[in-house]
Amino acid sequence: MKINSKISGFYLKKPGERLDLVAEMCSLSKEERGSLADTGGLPLENADSMIENVIGSFVLPMGIATYFRIDDEDFLIPMAVEEPSVVAAASNAARIARHGGGFITEHDSLLMIGQLQVVGLANPEKALLELKTRKAEIINAANERDPVLIRLGGGVKDIEIRRLETLSGPMVVLHLLVNCLDAMGANAVNTMAEGVASLVEEISGGVVLLRIISNLADRRLFRARAVFKKEILGPELIENIILAYHFAEADPYRAATHNKGVMNGISAVVRATGNDTRAIEAGAHSYAAVSGRYKPITSYRKNEDGDLIGEIELPLAVGLVGGATRSHPQARACIKILGVTTAAGLAKIIAAVGLAQNFAAMRALADEGIQRGHMRLHARNVAASAGASGDSIGAVSRIMIESSEINEEKARQILLELKT
Ligand code: MEV
């Protein structure tokens, strides 16, 4: 099928017209067209105002993780994710963590970083000095860009300036450290960074090139900790989980998968609340590599009673205002389910979910492996794709698991046999 993607004025059409055109060009069946047009819990008008060239929306399953106790409060956790086992594993880990009192969280500052790249400097050291001397002036100019944020207690709290050696020679980088309160902060920070560029040029005598937020939000770090009791795990499993963690600590190949498992939980909650999964993922992975070597963002050790202590630390720039958190009705409902009223409150929950998700993976991997539990859920998926529904999903998946053959052809064959 050869198509011509040069469609002038595509953006001017209505979503239905765009979909008609795509359906025709790509020979979509009525069902295929219908599946794209079905917008689930997101009205088409909302979708159309969120991004460009909308034809419909992409729907994911939303599950609720149970058993979470965080900072002495119970929470139901909405998770939007396509991967089987994630919600079950998080709930299971949270159930075990409850025996040790649940998750305890903390954070230090809540600052985002806006970067200004200053190039073309004849004397970078002199520029650095000048910028440092006139710091207060730059802070004031940045804060003038967002009076609402300032009125509510946010805004630029400090500035950091450093010299950077690059392939193009020395540059000066200026960081605006901004408290964005309950916003993720990209808009506020980018507006401020762009707003002070000319002043920074005037002071430094250089040219400001990039003016943009950094997703390595290491001034907005969140930590969560949990005690997993030895009476539940047993001493051998605890030793094995610590060995598995030491593997990740020493080896970036393993650390990547370890952190992927953490992000299974984190991204699912970030997505469900309408936050920016890519910003959080970029932050987590860059923080994992901040020492110069890619490391796991969780850690495990034993306490003096022989229980397992799990900890997580990562940047979590999530918001409750702005972006899809407000414009997506399902995201709003998820925030209500979580019962959070501040961005920091949401970030603490997300940190706890990341730790829970990782603990669940570690527990399975250091014991029977993940495939048995995973396959059980996968088999249900396969059965449904092969046309099973209602009770027959359970029956078909059971027979597939018993026969150790889990694929659509087998599922169809079992369905036929069950019908006859
Ligand atoms: C699968 O999505 C995630 C795991 O691979 C994570 C891990 O290996 O720690 C199970």
Side-chain angles (χ1 to χ4, degrees):
M1 177 174 62
K2 275 229 177 322
I3 54 135
N4 181 358
S5 66
K6 217 169 131 192
I7 312 170
S8 95
F10 189 69
Y11 72 100
L12 293 171
K13 294 185 189 299
K14 293 202 166 66
E17 295 167 348
R18 294 185 199 122
L19 180 54
D20 283 341
L21 187 62
V22 172
E24 193 194 317
M25 287 174 78
C26 304
S27 312
L28 297 185
S29 66
K30 208 166 148 231
E31 289 70 35
E32 286 162 340
R33 189 201 178 285
S35 75
L36 290 166
D38 182 356
T39 61
L42 180 66
L44 193 56
E45 313 83 70
N46 293 44
D48 197 29
S49 60
M50 282 167 79
I51 67 161
E52 309 72 42
N53 291 359
V54 162
I55 59 167
S57 49
F58 187 89
V59 183
L60 281 176
M62 170 91 73
I64 295 286
T66 49
Y67 286 100
F68 271 86
R69 188 156 185 81
I70 305 166
D71 297 330
D72 293 327
E73 256 189 86
D74 275 25
F75 291 94
L76 294 175
I77 317 275
M79 300 177 84
V81 62
E82 86 299 343
E83 185 171 327
S85 306
V86 168
V87 180
S91 307
N92 206 12
R95 191 173 50 78
I96 297 173
R98 271 183 105 84
H99 294 276
F103 299 87
I104 304 296
T105 70
E106 56 178 34
H107 68 273
D108 324 304
S109 64
L110 292 170
L111 300 173
M112 288 305 285
I113 299 170
Q115 295 196 291
L116 283 91
Q117 175 200 18
V118 191
V119 300
L121 293 164
N123 187 343
E125 282 316 311
K126 185 162 173 279
L128 203 111
L129 223 66
E130 290 290 331
L131 288 167
K132 279 191 176 160
T133 317
R134 292 174 66 182
K135 223 163 110 166
E137 210 180 314
I138 303 171
I139 293 179
N140 286 340
N143 282 338
E144 273 169 22
R145 300 279 147 179
D146 200 333
V148 178
L149 189 64
I150 309 309
R151 205 170 52 242
L152 296 171
V156 179
K157 300 298 173 190
D158 202 0
I159 281 183
E160 285 172 351
I161 309 152
R162 67 198 153 96
R163 179 188 163 120
L164 191 68
E165 301 308 326
T166 78
L167 294 174
S168 307
M171 296 174 186
V172 164
V173 179
L174 184 145
H175 282 186
L176 300 174
L177 302 181
V178 193
N179 184 340
C180 302
L181 302 176
D182 287 322
M184 180 271 183
N187 267 334
V189 169
N190 294 341
T191 305
M192 286 176 165
E194 291 189 5
V196 295
S198 56
L199 177 62
V200 169
E201 287 184 338
E202 183 199 312
I203 298 173
S204 65
V207 174
V208 171
L209 200 56
L210 301 197
R211 298 138 287 164
I212 189 77
I213 196 166
S214 169
N215 289 121
L216 173 51
D218 63 358
R219 306 302 169 86
R220 206 169 171 174
L221 292 179
F222 285 81
R223 288 179 285 281
R225 196 178 68 247
V227 179
F228 301 101
K229 302 297 269 181
K230 72 165 183 294
E231 290 74 22
I232 296 171
L233 299 183
E236 193 187 335
L237 183 56
I238 289 181
E239 293 302 336
N240 287 345
I241 290 176
I242 292 172
L243 282 173
Y245 158 60
H246 288 170
F247 176 19
E249 216 283 326
D251 179 23
Y253 288 93
R254 172 58 207 152
T257 322
H258 179 108
N259 288 343
K260 189 274 180 186
V262 176
M263 300 314 286
N264 275 346
I266 289 187
S267 297
V269 186
V270 171
R271 191 176 296 115
T273 56
N275 275 286
D276 183 342
T277 49
R278 287 82 54 218
I280 296 301
E281 280 156 13
H285 294 295
S286 52
Y287 189 63
V290 89
S291 67
R293 190 154 60 81
Y294 187 85
K295 301 248 189 186
I297 55 174
T298 61
S299 64
Y300 292 89
R301 60 189 161 82
K302 259 189 320 192
N303 66 10
E304 52 290 351
D305 299 327
D307 301 321
L308 183 72
I309 311 286
E311 283 169 316
I312 185 168
E313 181 181 74
L314 80 161
L316 279 170
V318 288
L320 292 186
V321 294
T325 44
R326 279 280 162 87
S327 59
H328 198 304
Q330 290 183 318
R332 282 205 308 273
C334 287
I335 303 274
K336 189 163 177 190
I337 293 172
L338 285 166
V340 287
T341 52
T342 63
L346 174 59
K348 286 174 175 188
I349 292 174
I350 294 173
V353 173
L355 177 58
Q357 204 71 55
N358 176 244
F359 167 77
M362 298 289 267
R363 178 171 175 243
L365 288 166
D367 193 8
E368 64 169 16
I370 58 160
Q371 280 314 82
R372 211 158 68 112
H374 193 74
M375 275 305 158
R376 244 190 333 264
L377 291 163
H378 174 61
R380 291 182 67 82
N381 260 342
V382 172
S385 319
S389 60
D391 288 348
S392 70
I393 293 184
V396 172
S397 55
R398 236 181 345 269
I399 299 171
M400 281 197 294
I401 290 165
E402 277 160 17
S403 71
S404 304
E405 231 187 293
I406 303 173
N407 57 56
E408 271 193 45
E409 201 185 311
K410 180 75 179 174
R412 269 192 291 273
Q413 184 196 328
I414 299 169
L415 257 180
L416 261 177
E417 282 164 14
L418 287 177
K419 275 183 194 150
T420 52

